[in-house]
Amino acid sequence: TLDPTFTASIAYVGLDYDYYLPGGGPNNISVSGFTVSGLPTGLTYDKVTGRVTGRPVKPGISTLKLTVKNAAGSSNTSTGTL
C-alpha cells in the first residue's frame, strides 16, 4: 500500500531530473503499472517502472496524483508535491 501523501525530490528548472515514484524502482516486484497526473512540463514518467525523468521548464510547485496497480488489478492512490 501507498502512504496517502508523498513529497518528490526537488526538481530544478533546466537541469536533468531523475526520481522513482513511491512503489517504483528497479527492485519493484509488486506494482504492475503507474499512472500519474500533474507533472510539470518537461517531465515524463515510465508507466512500468514509475521513473520520472526530464528537465522542468518553469518554476513552481506541482500537485501530483499517483495511482499504482498490482497484477491482480487492485489499485492505490496517493497525492504528492513536486
Side-chain angles (χ1 to χ4, degrees):
T1 63
L2 292 176
D3 288 333
T5 61
F6 68 96
T7 301
S9 61
I10 296 172
Y12 296 96
V13 173
L15 297 179
D16 289 338
Y17 184 74
D18 194 343
Y19 171 76
Y20 281 100
L21 294 164
N27 298 323
N28 168 29
I29 58 171
S30 61
V31 176
S32 63
F34 293 83
T35 305
V36 65
S37 61
L39 283 174
T41 302
L43 298 182
T44 60
Y45 75 101
D46 184 296
K47 294 177 184 180
V48 176
T49 66
R51 186 177 187 184
V52 178
T53 58
R55 288 184 179 186
V57 297
K58 293 191 308 190
I61 296 173
S62 297
T63 300
L64 309 179
K65 181 177 179 187
L66 169 64
T67 302
V68 298
K69 188 178 281 190
N70 65 21
S74 297
S75 62
N76 284 309
T77 61
S78 182
T79 302
T81 56
L82 170 65

